[in-house]
Amino acid sequence: MTGRHEEAGWTAPAPAPAAAGNEAGCAAAGRGRNDPPPGTWRRRAPAIAAAAGLLALWQVIVSGFGVPTYIAPSPVQVLQVFVEQGDILWLNFWPTLMEAASGFLVGNTVAAVLAVWFVHSQLAERAFYPIAVFVNTIPIIAVAPILVLLLGNGYAPKIVIAALICFFPTLVNMVRGLKAVSPQMLELMRVLSASGREVLFKIRLQSSLPFLFAALKIASTTCVIGAIVGEWIGSNYGLGSLIIEATYNFRAPLLYATVILGAGMAVAAFTIVTLVERRVLKWKPPEVF
Amino acid sequence: MSPTAAGSAASPGAGRSESPAAGPAAVSVRDLAVRFESDAGPVTALDGVSFDVPAGGLVTMLGPSGCGKSTLLRAVADLVPLSEGEISVFGRTPEEARLARDFSFVFQDATLLPWRSAIDNVRLPLEVGGRNGSVEQHAEPDELLALVGLAGREAALPHELSGGMRQRVSIARALVCRPRVLLMDEPFGALDEIARDKLNEELLRIWRETGTTIIFVTHSIPEATFLGQKCLVLSAHPGRVREYVGIDFGEARTLATRDTLEFVEVTAHLRRLLGESG
Ligand SMILES: Nc1ncnc2c1ncn2[C@@H]1O[C@H](COP(=O)(O)OP(=O)(O)O)[C@@H](O)[C@H]1O
Ligand SMILES: [Mg+2]
């Protein structure tokens, strides 16, 4: 964007709309940002073909070498579970989804609120940030039994575990995002005699959004992991408990189907966050995506 | 240091109707010193700086980098506390002037909010600082965008605009509260020369149309000469006034003015001053 575009827009004092409209510098104007760019299918075809190839290879190896089903089921057997035992799968799908979603909501909300507090109070940041770092270093697997002891066998410990696992990346990113305002922008706000509230709501929250969404994308998949880990420790429902049960009973096809369903939940959550991000962050220059 | 008429060859009769020295001062700086505390002890950025900017005048400020140009401008804007001396903006202290929105600041970067369209960026000063859109005497944002040559681009987001256009949006934003003084810190320093030339001419037009007093910091000698009615030359370490040079080319300044002998003489004089001040 140099002098050439400069001149195109420079038809003062009364530029014709047409003259301003054919501004070549505006690259993003033509295509809506949500349309898949041309050639998307050609770009994705290799990945799809590779996945299909691996599935086929798996099927060939399992049936060709006569691998027992309880060790490794074939893709067709796993598919059969979805058809024949679909009700068990779905029955256990919903509690896990509920726990993961609640954990996602709670963990990210608490993290975002804390981040705002930290940015406004150095004392709070100095006091609690190290604690947050410490809590984050404890493996979630080790925290889970403690939470089950504390909170019982219901939904609560699973939601807390899912929330804990979301919490830290969001806190770190959000603090960074809220601080990622240029000093010059803050000086501008000072020249305008803006209050701290105005700086928060007009500047900081908006400029933290790209950072927040980066964290939410991580959280969208880890919250599912959190819920499932919580169900391993003590539960008789949910995908986590189904995984344990299927493993101990050598029901390998059911185990695989459950794992696939859990992965599907995470992928769906990730996709939703990505779609929301695209809507909300329309203002981001395209090259940032 | 009293104003010195440099460039003696500049035709004396063809001056502006209002002589720069006449009229009440818009900005008055007296015995200003600014010191910063650093790890290596106190740093004196400015020392014993005094000068007046006449109301409606356009004063450029020139000096080697690090000599305190930005600090001086920021002291006027109440962004830096004064260590000694005083500054008055139309009779008010910098803080009072800031609260009264007597001045606006234009930075080297346009500092636009990337999620706001051009026109919404221009509206920002009307929404903050307890204004909530109720600034009694504000200019119309769309008219300002037309004034800076961006009619038709109101809805454009900053990343869709060129660097020069973004800087124009920031100038429109600075004008929206009808400030009496416009403080500009190397506003065109990041632009290519073609864009800079255009914006220089444009700034002169805006200055004439709005009657705003302008203090314009630059490190370009031609830019300082072309824009300024007077040029404040600072020397470094600590920043002091080297000379307050009057510049007089008559009413019409166009890019062709730069090729005249008077222009070259003034730039030569300024270059000599800067050379001497190291
Ligand atoms: N906030 C600050 N803290 C410490 N020193 C500063 C600060 N701001 C500026 N300075 C020092 O003051 C001097 C003048 O800086 P500045 O006004 O930015 O110069 P210029 O704009 O002319 O290049 C420099 O030596 C710089 O290091
Ligand atoms: Mg500077």
Side-chain angles (χ1 to χ4, degrees):
Chain A
M1 314 234 168
T2 53
R4 202 160 46 79
H5 304 134
E6 199 60 40
E7 276 164 316
W10 195 258
T11 37
N22 65 17
E23 175 71 35
C26 177
R31 214 180 61 228
R33 194 149 314 133
N34 288 338
D35 304 344
T40 298
W41 281 113
R42 208 177 321 142
R43 239 176 333 110
R44 289 191 184 157
I48 295 171
L54 286 174
L55 278 177
L57 187 68
W58 174 12
Q59 179 76 38
V60 167
I61 290 175
V62 167
S63 35
F65 292 90
V67 179
T69 300
Y70 66 85
I71 290 176
S74 70
V76 172
Q77 286 170 317
V78 174
L79 201 65
Q80 263 174 350
V81 176
F82 276 105
V83 178
E84 288 160 14
Q85 293 168 279
D87 46 347
I88 300 187
L89 284 172
W90 290 113
L91 203 66
N92 289 287
F93 174 85
W94 296 115
T96 306
L97 177 64
M98 195 280 285
E99 292 156 2
S102 311
F104 181 85
L105 213 71
V106 173
N108 290 310
T109 308
V110 173
V113 171
L114 268 187
V116 169
W117 188 35
F118 284 4
V119 168
H120 281 87
S121 159
Q122 251 201 347
L123 186 69
E125 182 171 7
R126 287 212 190 113
F128 293 108
Y129 206 87
I131 298 179
V133 174
F134 173 72
V135 168
N136 181 56
T137 57
I138 308 174
I140 207 74
I141 287 277
V143 187
I146 299 174
L147 287 170
V148 171
L149 286 183
L150 277 174
L151 300 170
N153 236 350
Y155 289 121
K158 288 98 183 176
I159 293 174
V160 172
I161 292 166
L164 263 181
I165 216 169
C166 298
F167 170 77
F168 195 73
T170 303
L171 177 71
V172 174
N173 266 287
M174 195 71 185
V175 167
R176 269 187 54 201
L178 289 169
K179 288 183 178 173
V181 177
S182 75
Q184 224 162 72
M185 182 53 81
L186 293 177
E187 291 203 325
L188 175 73
M189 293 304 273
R190 180 160 155 80
V191 169
L192 295 172
S193 311
S195 66
R197 253 179 84 97
E198 285 166 341
V199 174
L200 175 65
F201 284 103
K202 302 260 178 205
I203 315 275
R204 287 193 192 277
L205 284 178
Q206 297 264 23
S207 45
S208 74
L209 285 181
F211 294 81
L212 177 65
F213 273 106
L216 291 185
K217 281 189 196 161
I218 301 172
S220 66
T221 60
T222 55
C223 69
V224 177
I225 298 175
I228 288 177
V229 167
E231 287 164 352
W232 280 355
I233 308 297
S235 181
N236 35 33
Y237 59 84
L239 295 181
S241 110
L242 200 57
I243 286 173
I244 300 285
E245 205 181 295
T247 310
Y248 286 140
N249 295 321
F250 296 101
R251 293 166 74 183
L254 179 62
L255 173 64
Y256 278 56
T258 311
V259 169
I260 289 169
L261 202 57
M265 188 191 295
V267 169
F270 185 86
T271 308
I272 291 170
V273 172
T274 307
L275 291 178
V276 172
E277 179 188 32
R278 270 194 212 162
R279 300 216 74 171
V280 174
L281 294 187
K282 281 214 172 85
W283 52 270
K284 274 308 244 188
E287 57 269 20
V288 169
F289 282 111
Chain B
M1 279 172 211
S2 60
T4 316
S8 45
S11 46
R16 285 170 210 279
S17 44
E18 7 103 67
S19 148
V27 177
S28 171
V29 177
R30 287 284 162 272
D31 305 318
L32 174 70
V34 175
R35 281 181 275 277
F36 295 107
E37 286 305 322
S38 78
D39 298 337
V43 177
T44 305
L46 294 169
D47 193 31
V49 172
S50 300
F51 67 98
D52 283 337
V53 178
L58 201 171
V59 167
T60 53
M61 203 193 294
L62 200 57
S65 113
C67 73
K69 304 183 292 295
S70 299
T71 305
L72 180 46
L73 214 56
R74 287 151 49 83
V76 175
D78 192 33
L79 291 169
V80 165
L82 320 183
S83 307
E84 271 171 41
E86 53 190 77
I87 295 178
S88 96
V89 180
F90 285 103
R92 298 195 237 240
T93 66
E95 189 185 7
E96 290 163 354
R98 168 171 63 80
L99 292 169
R101 290 275 168 94
D102 276 342
F103 57 78
S104 302
F105 208 106
V106 177
F107 299 93
Q108 177 164 354
D109 293 331
T111 21
L112 303 180
L113 296 174
W115 53 87
R116 285 188 174 221
S117 64
I119 192 140
D120 284 338
N121 266 294
V122 174
R123 285 198 186 104
L124 179 72
L126 307 177
E127 299 169 11
V128 300
R131 257 64 182 181
N132 292 322
S134 67
V135 177
E136 313 79 47
Q137 259 206 328
H138 70 83
E140 289 306 321
D142 51 341
E143 288 171 14
L144 282 176
L145 281 179
L147 178 73
V148 298
L150 286 177
R153 301 308 305 270
E154 290 83 1
L157 289 169
H159 77 260
E160 297 166 343
L161 300 172
S162 70
M165 291 174 169
R166 283 199 288 267
Q167 200 52 277
R168 279 182 206 156
V169 175
S170 101
I171 292 172
R173 178 183 61 195
L175 292 172
V176 75
C177 286
R178 294 191 194 282
R180 303 216 271 172
V181 181
L182 196 52
L183 306 170
M184 308 180 87
D185 192 356
E186 302 191 21
F188 310 141
L191 304 183
D192 62 82
E193 201 160 330
I194 301 168
R196 177 189 274 232
D197 284 352
K198 296 231 171 233
L199 276 163
N200 278 344
E201 276 195 300
E202 208 49 29
L203 184 68
L204 283 181
R205 183 176 61 80
I206 291 167
W207 171 57
R208 289 195 195 100
E209 283 180 26
T210 59
T212 311
T213 307
I214 298 180
I215 306 181
F216 187 103
V217 170
T218 176
H219 54 235
S220 154
I221 293 174
E223 192 173 57
T225 312
F226 179 66
L227 290 175
Q229 286 181 304
K230 299 180 88 177
C231 178
L232 186 75
V233 182
L234 298 183
S235 59
H237 306 299
R240 294 179 196 272
V241 176
R242 180 77 183 75
E243 191 173 316
Y244 200 12
V245 182
I247 303 169
D248 198 349
F249 297 131
E251 198 55 48
R253 293 190 195 200
T254 61
L255 289 179
T257 307
R258 300 176 166 217
D259 303 326
T260 63
L261 185 63
E262 292 95 316
F263 190 91
V264 174
E265 279 176 354
V266 176
T267 55
H269 180 64
L270 293 176
R271 192 164 286 120
R272 203 164 52 241
L273 287 175
L274 288 175
E276 284 165 13
S277 67

